[in-house]
Amino acid sequence: WNVSEGRVVASLEATKPPVGFLTFSPNSKYLAHTSPTDGLVWLWKVGMAEAELLLVEAADGCTLESLSFHPDGRRIAVGGVDYLSTGKRDGAVCVWDIPTKDKLYTIDVGVNAVAFDPQGKYLAGAGFDDAVYVWDAETQETIFVLGGHQEKIHAVAFNPDGSYIVSGGDDCTIRVWDVLSGRFLVAREFDSPVHSLAFSPDGWHLFCGNGNTTCYQIEFKRLLED
């Protein structure tokens, strides 16, 4: 959609419904989405009706739960869960090089959400085991395993300057950590499960998509201080 004019720019149709997770590339030239029924990730050039790229078995045979573009725009992380334990693990995160269509590496941890930090140094995953994982995006070394959630984590996000990592889930809480130290900072409880998280570009507000069909706009500084 063209937001200012309120008109449809293009209708992009994948092979099988439903459309899963969607995300724009950092330069807004591309839109990527998952296709849960056939394990594909679709990459579209914004405004074009033909797909630019398809990634097959994008999460190494796992469900396709989430996507995140690296800030360089040429890499994309795809995370999922292996509910049948076909690979003797609970899931996987796969990072792909878009221009070459090569799978760069696989991390054998099941996740419901993934996110790169704004500098591209870290990759975070909302683990299937109710912990937030933070990996070095180049070496795949596990930097932190951040616990505290009591139920499924649906969303993980870095704030725009990369100082904080935020998670939300079915326990109706948002939890915040310091990225450099992994130190837990604050938890805030709400009246509904938290299904998605997004920061405003200036980092002033955090938006929460909730299980009761509402969306909260939260002043992030006050969230840290209250």
Side-chain angles (χ1 to χ4, degrees):
W1 297 82
N2 181 302
V3 178
S4 61
E5 299 176 8
R7 63 180 178 85
V8 176
V9 176
S11 179
L12 312 177
E13 296 187 12
T15 51
K16 296 180 182 179
V19 172
F21 190 90
L22 299 97
T23 186
F24 281 101
S25 64
N27 61 9
S28 297
K29 291 184 178 180
Y30 294 95
L31 175 69
H33 76 82
T34 62
S35 183
T37 55
D38 52 20
L40 298 174
V41 167
W42 295 69
L43 186 72
W44 308 81
K45 196 167 185 178
V46 173
M48 302 296 291
E50 295 294 329
E52 188 99 346
L53 176 66
L54 291 177
L55 299 177
V56 181
E57 292 289 350
D60 205 21
C62 302
T63 62
L64 304 184
E65 302 293 334
S66 183
L67 299 170
S68 179
F69 276 98
H70 189 279
D72 65 13
R74 66 172 289 145
R75 285 174 277 178
I76 192 168
V78 186
V81 176
D82 186 353
Y83 288 102
L84 300 178
S85 298
T86 55
K88 297 182 179 179
R89 59 187 175 181
D90 58 12
V93 178
C94 296
V95 175
W96 294 79
D97 184 90
I98 294 171
T100 65
K101 305 179 186 178
D102 291 331
K103 187 193 300 181
L104 300 178
Y105 58 82
T106 299
I107 299 172
D108 288 327
V109 175
V111 297
N112 301 306
V114 289
F116 280 107
D117 83 301
Q119 288 73 44
K121 182 178 181 181
Y122 300 114
L123 174 61
F128 188 55
D129 57 358
D130 303 337
V132 174
Y133 288 79
V134 181
W135 299 284
D136 185 298
E138 297 300 326
T139 67
Q140 300 92 65
E141 176 187 1
T142 301
I143 306 298
F144 301 118
V145 179
L146 308 172
H149 279 284
Q150 301 302 308
E151 296 184 60
K152 179 179 178 179
I153 307 171
H154 286 285
V156 62
F158 290 91
N159 76 317
D161 70 8
S163 299
Y164 303 102
I165 184 170
V166 184
S167 60
D170 276 345
D171 58 3
C172 302
T173 65
I174 291 174
R175 303 180 73 85
V176 184
W177 291 269
D178 176 83
V179 170
L180 291 181
S181 66
R183 182 170 62 94
F184 169 70
L185 299 176
V186 68
R188 295 288 178 250
E189 187 172 355
F190 297 91
D191 56 0
S192 174
V194 179
H195 284 187
S196 60
L197 296 167
F199 279 93
S200 60
D202 60 7
W204 190 259
H205 291 108
L206 174 67
F207 294 87
C208 309
N210 305 313
N212 63 0
T213 73
T214 65
C215 179
Y216 293 154
Q217 176 182 314
I218 302 166
E219 188 175 327
F220 187 59
K221 184 178 180 180
R222 288 187 62 186
L223 178 74
L224 294 177
E225 294 175 347
D226 286 348

